[in-house]
Every structure is written in C-alpha cells, then in structure tokens.
C-alpha cells in the first residue's frame, strides 16, 4: 500500500539529484559553461539542505536525535559530553567483536565502553525504559537484556541499540543476566523473595528455577567465567561465586560499594568488569575494585591552565583529573589524599591550588595528583576557588557565612572581603584577568553572578536556569567561563552575559518538547526549570538564551508559528505563547480539553495549530486557547497514547510518535491514521520537522 509518506520517502532522493543537476551550470559544469567569477574568487553554491525530522528522547538525560526518514532509525546527535554513562546497570562482553556493551538507565541507551579509558560511546536508544541485566551469546552473536519495567527478555541489535521483545512472557524482577557458553544456558538472578537463580529459554523467555539464594541476598549482577557464575550481592556489597547447578553461594570478598550493580567477564583480557560510576576491574581473590580513568558525575572543582590549555578537575572521590582540552574526556591523574572543594591555577608559577572543607589551602602536583597542605586559611566550609594574576591573590567563598575571602598564596592566610546578600549560596568561582571580573554561581537562585572583589556583593547575570554548578573556571582561550552542571553531568559554557550552552551535548535535562523555527534555523526546547533552549540542528548542542517569564514548568509540547513569530505550548491546562527572543510568556486561555495535550504542531499553510491528547486529534485556537476535538483517530488500534507531533507538509500531513514506539501518519479529516513504522519503543517523546531548503 502506498501512502503519502512512502511516496515522499521514495521520491526524495530522486528530487534531490534532479535539484543538484539543475544547479550544475551555475557552478561551472555542464553545457552552460563556467559562471563568471566575482571578487577575484571562485563562486560557490551552498549544498541543498536536506529535510530533517528530529526528536528528543523521553528519558532523564534528554538527547537530541536525528530520525532517518526512510528507516525511522534514531541517530543521537548529542552524546554524553565529557562524561561516561552515569548509571550502568547492565554489562556484557562480545567475544566475537571484542566489545564491552553496557546499558544506562538514566537515558535508556546502549553503549560501548572503551576498556582502556573507561568512556562510553552511545550506540542508540534501546526502546525499553529499564534495561538492567545484559548477556552475550557468542554462538548466535546475540546480545540479550531484560527490561525491568515490562519484565520482558529482549534481543538487542548491537548496530542500532534497538531492543526487540523475545516473547510476551513476563519475567519476575530480573536484575542480572549471564550466558554459560559451555552449556549454552542463559542464567538470570531475580530479586523475588530471598532471591533466585533462574534459567531462561532464549526462544520463549520462559524461566525455570535453579535454586534460591541465602536469605537477604540482593544479587544485582551476574557474569559467567570458567564454569562458574559470579555475582555481586548489592546488600552485603560482596563478590560471590555461584554454582550454576544449585545456586549455592561462596563469598569471595567485599567490593566496597553498593553501586556495583553490573558485571561482565572479558575473555580477551581475562578481566571481570563492573561500573559503579567508573569502569573498574574486580579481583577474583578479594572482590576489591581497581578503578579506571573515567570521571564520575561528582565534580567539585575546576581550574584552567593557560600555559598548556588544560582544565583540571577534582571529583567527590578525592581524585584529580585532567582535560587536555575542553572537548576531551578527562584523564585520571591520581588521588589527592584529601577532598578538594575548589581549584585554581597560577600560570606564573604553574601552581595548582586547592581548598578543602577544613579551610586549608593546598598545592597539588599536576603530575601525580598528590595534595600538600600549604596552611590554614582561618575560614571553613570553603567552596570555590579562583586566582587573580593581576593582584596575585586567591579568592574563595565561605559558604557557612556567605562570605568572600582573599587568600595569600604564600602563607595561606585568609582575609574577609565581605558578606554577600542574604539567601545567596555561591558554589563555584572563576576569574577573568582581562576584565578583572570574578564570576560565581549562586545555587540558591540558580543563576550566574558577578562578585565584587572589594565588597563581596553579588550581582545576578543572565537568566536563572542552572540549578547546581559546583565548579567554575575561566577558559582564556575561549574567553568563556566553563562550569560543571551536576544535574546533567556535563561541562557547560557561560558567556559574559551569563548565557549557558551545553558543551558537547544538549546539556539540559528533562527537555520534553521540541519545535522548529525556520526563520532562525534552530530547534527549540523547554527544560523543566522553564529555560528556553535553542538547539543546533546539526550538533544538537543547546544554548539557553532566555528564561521564560513568568516561567513555564514541565512543558510536554511546543510548536512554532512563523506567521506571528511565536512559540505555543500548553502549560497546565492553558495555551500560552512565548516570544523566542525575550522569553515573555502570555497566557492565551484554557484549552478546555482533558486529558492533557501532549503534542503540538503548526501547519503554516492553513495557519492551524494541531494537538494530540491520548488518541484524539484537536485544533487549538491561537486567539482564545480553546481546543476543538476533531475526534478519535481511527486506524491505530495498536499505536497507544500519542505524544510527539510534527507537521511535515501538505502531502504527508501530521506525523506522531506513541508510547508504544509507533510512528504514525495522521490525516486530519476523519481523523484517521496509518502506521508508518515502529522503532525504539518509548524512546522519542517529542518531534519537530525542518523542511528541505534549496
């Protein structure tokens, strides 16, 4: 059956080739001869811009993705920034390709992990929301996982990340998977009752009981090696050896953390891996973990070395890291020996300074990470540190007294400068030597500030939308403040106006809506704090230029009207408009429709604002806000609740995603719909379309 969508997808490449051929005479090819040169140079013709269907993953860590309009496959354009995947709950090693796979429940993506560096590279959305255990069958080249939300055994495509349910059989609370290559048996650990070891039929997903674990066992990870199963008992924090025949358990030693909830045996290097925030190897003899070089999400201090262009950072585990550039993964340098709460660098002496919660000034060896106490500052609970090369002083912030202090680098003696205004909590500091400006981040007001080095008074700068940035540094090469956003676990940039941008990623959590503005050639999203985020169509990097005012929170639908240059969204039950350049919000009126509208799309030809609510199509009046029900969308029996919505063109009409992973084409008359694809169930929660441009 041919649909307008399939016709469009089949003819699009042909139309593009025809367009390119039509342009050839103008660029010096074909019978038309060369075009006349202008300005002494060779003229160029921009390549035609292809159409782009984009989406936002419906996960905690929002990811902007391109969607292939032929296959509907998802291509994440924003990776994990400078951080590895944050919550690894499934790991498996592919002995055929020598690849370590992992699943992350913070963003529901499949990753590959570089065993040398510990950093994760996204493969693609799993399409299931809580994939925990992983196991690999080398005989059939199959990666298995278990979705803890739907309780299904799934097979995972290692090229796309997409999971497919093996059967409709429901499994009981599986936390770990392992494949026995000797007997070709898939084992699983269940947390039902006292905990159970199960065998799972890979064809049907049906389980059989091997035996029960000792009372109180929480077996959250499994791996197979050398005739035995190995597991991590999360409750007791122990590595254990498990008999595949009886489920009897032998404790081997303590792993020392309750966050080790994944396990994989690497045949290539004979290493047992886990990932409690960092990739770590596990000792069979003692259970002890040896951590790799990757960075956790708990960065507390940042400093920029203008002599080398490097950034230094320290995490909550008292480890020094080095970023060889602001776009690079950090490299582990070594343990500090104390927990540093601030970092700063003196380029004249090439000295890296730090402070700790005891109020001591530290000097830190950038080759080993070892910290040496220079002396007591006389102040406590110091957060944030910055070096002023013009005055030869360090600045620190005493969070107990909301007080800015100066510190003599030679003696460590601290001097009070002044107390900030009440209800101010400055966490990170950075100093711009060219303008003599001290910057900070006020975590109570969720905004970037400047701080007077004469009085300690703070002045808000830029919109309020970064709610926890505990580390700052001034990058002189980029002429920007670099910060660590603890919630999204990414480096972010602040310009001199306080405007924040994601660094190598979307950079804003919980963006649940998407719209395309052809006038400015940007996609828009709204984060949960009400920041209007502009998203680069090619890189997926987000920049929050304005805060909506009054702020709109937890918005799930967004559309752009080019005729009025306004964005529309539904906040609560009201239709509101947003001015893209200022963020000014105007309440238009109640939609009068329930359940809530979860998708919006604007047809510029008919100037119609469409919306979807569960399985109903509505038209929303942009003058009054009133939603008119066009009726239940027919022909979509298995599609589930509709969410994302995009207007393509007059030929295709509307396209939507659903909670079951269906992509549907909607005809407004009827209304009726047709399934055009089904991929990545539950992965895409918002859609927007950028048309092709000649």
């Amino acid at each position: 059956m041919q649909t307008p969508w399939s016709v469009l997808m089949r003819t699009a490449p042909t139309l593009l080739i025809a367009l390119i051929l039509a342009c050839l005479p103008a660029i010096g090819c074909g019978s038309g001869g060369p075009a006349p040169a202008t300005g002494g140079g060779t003229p160029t013709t921009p390549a035609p811009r292809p159409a782009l269907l984009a989406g936002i993953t419906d996960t905690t860590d929002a990811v902007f993705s391109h969607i292939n309009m032929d296959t509907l496959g998802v291509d994440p354009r924003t990776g994990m920034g400078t951080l590895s995947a944050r919550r690894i709950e499934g790991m498996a090693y592919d002995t055929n390709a020598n690849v370590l796979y992992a699943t992350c429940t913070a963003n529901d993506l499949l990753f590959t992990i570089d065993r040398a560096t510990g950093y994760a590279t996204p493969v693609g959305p799993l399409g299931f929301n809580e994939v925990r255990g992983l196991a690999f069958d080398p005989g059939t080249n199959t990666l298995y996982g278990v979705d803890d939300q739907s309780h299904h055994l799934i097979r995972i495509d290692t090229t796309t990340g997409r999971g497919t349910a093996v059967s409709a059989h429901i499994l009981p609370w599986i936390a770990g998977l392992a494949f026995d290559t000797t007997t070709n048996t898939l084992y699983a650990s269940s947390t039902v009752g006292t905990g159970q070891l199960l065998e799972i039929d890979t064809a049907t997903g049906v389980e059989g009981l091997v035996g029960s674990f000792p009372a109180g066992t929480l077996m959250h990870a499994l791996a197979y090696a050398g005739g035995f199963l190995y597991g991590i008992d999360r409750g007791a924090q122990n590595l254990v050896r498990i008999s595949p025949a009886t489920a009897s358990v032998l404790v081997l030693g303590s792993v020392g953390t309750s966050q080790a909830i994944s396990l994989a045996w690497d045949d290539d290097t004979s290493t047992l891996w886990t990932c409690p925030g960092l990739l770590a190897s596990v000792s069979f003899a003692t259970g002890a973990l040896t951590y790799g070089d990757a960075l956790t999400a708990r960065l507390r201090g940042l400093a920029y070395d203008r002599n080398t262009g490097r950034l230094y950072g320290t995490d909550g585990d008292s480890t020094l890291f080095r970023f060889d550039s602001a776009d690079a993964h950090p490299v582990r340098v070594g343990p500090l020996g104390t927990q540093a709460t601030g970092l700063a660098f003196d380029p004249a002496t090439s000295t890296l300074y730090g402070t700790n919660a005891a109020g001591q000034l530290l000097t830190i060896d950038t080759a080993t990470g070892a910290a040496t106490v220079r002396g007591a500052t006389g102040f406590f609970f110091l957060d944030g540190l910055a070096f002023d090369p013009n005055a030869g002083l360090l600045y620190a912030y005493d969070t107990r007294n909301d007080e800015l202090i100066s510190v003599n680098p030679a003696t460590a003696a601290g001097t009070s400068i002044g107390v900030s205004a009440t209800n101010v909590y400055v966490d990170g500091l950075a100093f711009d030597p060219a303008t003599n400006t001290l910057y900070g981040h006020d975590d109570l007001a969720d905004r970037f500030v400047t701080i007077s080095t004469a009085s300690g008074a703070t002045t808000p700068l830029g919109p309020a939308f970064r709610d926890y940035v505990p580390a700052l540094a001034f990058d002189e090469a980029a002429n920007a403040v670099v910060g660590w956003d603890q919630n999204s676990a990414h480096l972010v940039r602040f310009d001199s106006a306080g405007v924040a941008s994601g660094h190598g990623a979307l950079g804003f959590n919980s963006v649940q809506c998407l719209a395309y503005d052809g006038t400015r050639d940007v996609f828009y999203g709204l984060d949960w704090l009400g920041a209007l985020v502009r998203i680069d169509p090619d890189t997926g990097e987000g920049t929050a230029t304005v805060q909506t005012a009054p702020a709109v929170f937890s918005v799930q639908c967004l559309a752009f009207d080019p005729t009025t240059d306004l964005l529309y969204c539904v906040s609560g039950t009201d239709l509101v408009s947003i001015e893209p350049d200022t963020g000014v919000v105007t309440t238009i009126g109640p939609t009068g429709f329930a359940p809530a509208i979860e998708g919006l799309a604007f047809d510029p030809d008919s100037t119609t604002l469409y919306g979807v609510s569960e399985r109903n199509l509505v038209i929303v009046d942009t003058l009054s806000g009133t939603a008119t029900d066009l009726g239940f969308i027919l022909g979509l029996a298995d599609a589930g609740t509709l969410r994302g919505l995009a207007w393509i063109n007059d030929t295709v009409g509307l396209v939507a995603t659903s909670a079951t992973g269906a992509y549907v084409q909607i005809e407004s008359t009827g209304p009726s719909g047709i399934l055009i694809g089904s991929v990545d169930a539950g992965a895409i929660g918002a859609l927007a379309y950028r048309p092709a441009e000649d």
Side-chain angles (χ1 to χ4, degrees):
M1 175 181 176
Q2 292 189 5
T3 67
W5 175 270
S6 63
V7 171
L8 177 67
M9 293 304 98
R10 190 178 65 252
T11 58
T14 305
L15 292 173
L16 181 58
I17 292 169
L19 180 59
I20 295 171
L21 291 174
C23 292
L24 285 177
I27 58 175
C29 301
S31 59
T38 59
T42 303
T44 59
T45 300
R49 187 185 70 192
L52 171 62
L53 185 63
I56 295 285
T57 53
D58 187 18
T59 55
T60 303
D61 289 345
V63 177
F64 178 81
S65 299
H66 290 184
I67 301 170
N68 186 299
M69 295 178 68
D70 287 312
T71 66
L72 297 177
V74 177
D75 175 19
R77 306 303 292 179
T78 48
M80 298 304 293
T82 51
L83 179 70
S84 180
R86 285 193 288 161
R87 188 170 176 80
I88 298 296
E89 297 206 34
M91 294 177 72
Y93 183 73
D94 176 351
T95 56
N96 297 330
N98 288 330
V99 174
L100 182 62
Y101 291 103
T103 56
C104 174
T105 54
N107 47 45
D108 301 325
L109 297 175
L110 178 70
F111 288 85
T112 59
I113 298 181
D114 186 320
R115 292 168 290 164
T117 66
Y119 286 103
T121 301
V123 176
L126 290 154
F128 293 83
N129 293 332
E130 293 289 337
V131 178
R132 301 188 185 276
L134 281 185
F136 187 80
D137 175 2
T140 62
N141 212 43
T142 303
L143 181 64
Y144 292 100
V146 170
D147 174 30
D148 199 34
Q149 187 175 87
S150 67
H151 303 290
H152 284 127
L153 178 69
I154 64 173
R155 296 188 185 98
I156 302 171
D157 187 324
T158 56
T159 59
T160 66
R162 182 190 175 190
T164 302
V166 170
S167 72
H169 183 76
I170 303 299
L171 290 167
W173 303 106
I174 302 299
L177 281 183
F179 192 83
D180 180 344
T181 53
T182 303
T183 62
N184 291 324
T185 303
L186 181 63
Y187 290 99
S189 61
S190 168
T191 56
V192 170
T194 62
Q196 299 172 330
L197 181 65
L198 308 172
E199 292 182 1
I200 299 179
D201 188 316
T202 57
T204 64
V206 175
E207 80 283 357
L209 177 65
V210 175
S212 295
F213 297 127
T217 301
L218 290 173
M219 205 70 71
H220 271 254
L222 280 183
Y224 175 82
F228 288 97
L229 291 167
Y230 293 87
I232 293 180
D233 178 356
R234 186 180 186 184
Q237 301 181 17
N238 285 329
L239 176 71
V240 300
R241 191 174 70 194
I242 306 167
S243 166
T246 65
S248 62
V249 170
L250 174 66
V251 175
L252 299 178
S254 174
V255 296
T257 175
S258 63
Q259 300 307 306
I261 49 180
S262 56
L263 206 58
W265 169 249
D266 174 355
D267 291 273
D268 181 44
T269 61
S270 298
T271 304
L272 188 63
W273 298 109
T274 187
C275 194
L278 306 176
L279 184 66
S281 60
V282 188
S283 167
F284 278 114
T286 66
L289 304 186
T290 301
Y291 289 96
D293 292 341
L295 174 65
T296 70
R298 302 186 298 273
L299 201 65
R300 296 294 306 276
L302 273 180
Y304 175 75
D305 174 2
R306 72 182 182 197
N307 299 328
T308 62
R310 289 172 172 168
L311 279 169
Y312 290 97
T314 179
D315 69 354
D317 292 325
S318 307
T319 302
L320 182 69
F321 288 87
R322 183 187 76 235
F323 299 76
D324 289 325
S325 72
D327 297 312
H329 283 310
V331 176
R332 187 178 188 272
V333 177
L336 293 163
T338 183
Q339 190 173 75
T341 56
L343 288 180
F345 193 85
D346 176 357
T349 62
S350 294
T351 302
L352 181 63
Y353 292 101
T355 51
N356 59 22
Q360 296 172 317
L361 180 66
L362 314 169
T363 58
I364 301 170
D365 188 321
T366 57
T368 66
T372 302
V373 176
R374 173 65 56 91
T377 64
F379 297 82
F380 299 92
F381 301 101
L382 299 181
D383 270 334
L385 190 65
F387 182 74
D388 175 356
N390 302 323
L393 290 174
L394 290 158
Y395 297 107
Y397 197 84
D398 180 347
T399 56
R400 181 181 62 176
N401 298 313
D402 297 329
E403 184 176 16
L404 181 70
I405 68 170
S406 64
V407 180
N408 185 318
T411 65
T415 302
S416 173
I417 292 176
V419 177
S420 302
T422 56
N423 298 321
V424 172
Y425 188 98
V426 175
D427 218 356
L429 292 177
F431 188 82
D432 177 0
T435 62
N436 281 310
T437 304
L438 182 64
Y439 295 101
H441 191 272
D442 178 1
D443 288 327
L444 289 182
D446 301 331
R447 69 190 313 156
F448 201 50
V449 298
T450 58
I451 306 172
S452 169
T453 56
S455 66
T458 60
T459 302
L461 189 66
F465 43 69
R466 285 289 176 186
D467 58 343
Y468 190 30
V469 183
L472 293 177
F474 191 82
D475 182 342
E476 295 177 56
N479 194 33
V481 175
V482 178
W484 183 260
D485 182 352
Q486 198 85 329
N487 290 322
S488 66
H490 292 295
L491 283 176
V492 294
R493 289 190 304 269
F494 294 92
D495 66 16
S496 59
V499 174
S501 300
H503 202 97
L506 177 57
F508 297 85
N509 272 3
S510 301
V511 175
Q512 298 178 332
C513 55
L514 196 63
Y516 178 71
D517 173 358
T519 305
R520 300 169 180 84
D521 189 28
V522 295
F523 286 90
Y524 290 106
L526 283 164
D527 82 346
W528 70 284
L529 289 172
L532 184 62
V533 182
R534 294 190 179 191
I535 304 171
D536 185 288
D538 298 316
T539 67
E541 185 170 292
T543 300
T545 54
V546 293
Q547 174 75 18
T548 54
V552 288
F553 301 102
S554 301
V555 172
Q556 294 184 313
C557 55
L558 192 65
F560 180 76
D561 176 358
T563 62
T564 61
D565 197 38
L566 290 174
L567 289 158
Y568 294 103
C569 68
V570 176
S571 177
T573 59
D574 290 330
L575 180 71
V576 303
S577 65
I578 303 172
E579 207 288 319
D581 292 326
T582 65
V584 172
V585 173
T586 302
T587 299
I588 296 172
T591 63
F593 200 86
I597 295 172
E598 294 194 18
L600 283 178
F602 190 84
D603 172 6
D605 297 323
S606 65
T607 64
T608 302
L609 182 62
Y610 291 100
V612 287
S613 172
E614 292 193 347
R615 289 282 297 281
N616 285 54
L617 183 67
V618 301
I619 289 178
V620 186
D621 189 321
T622 57
L623 297 179
S624 67
T626 302
T628 301
D629 187 12
L630 297 182
F632 186 82
I633 302 171
L634 303 174
L636 302 176
D638 299 322
T641 300
L642 300 181
R643 299 182 299 176
L645 190 66
W647 173 263
I648 307 300
N649 53 34
D650 286 334
T651 303
V652 175
L654 293 160
V655 172
T657 61
S658 79
T660 63
Y663 287 77
V664 299
Q665 179 184 340
I666 301 171
E667 169 58 50
S668 59
T669 57
S672 61
I674 186 170
L675 182 71
I676 57 175
S678 181
V679 56
D680 304 328
I684 299 297
L687 279 181
Y689 178 75
R690 182 184 73 178
E693 184 178 83
D694 297 347

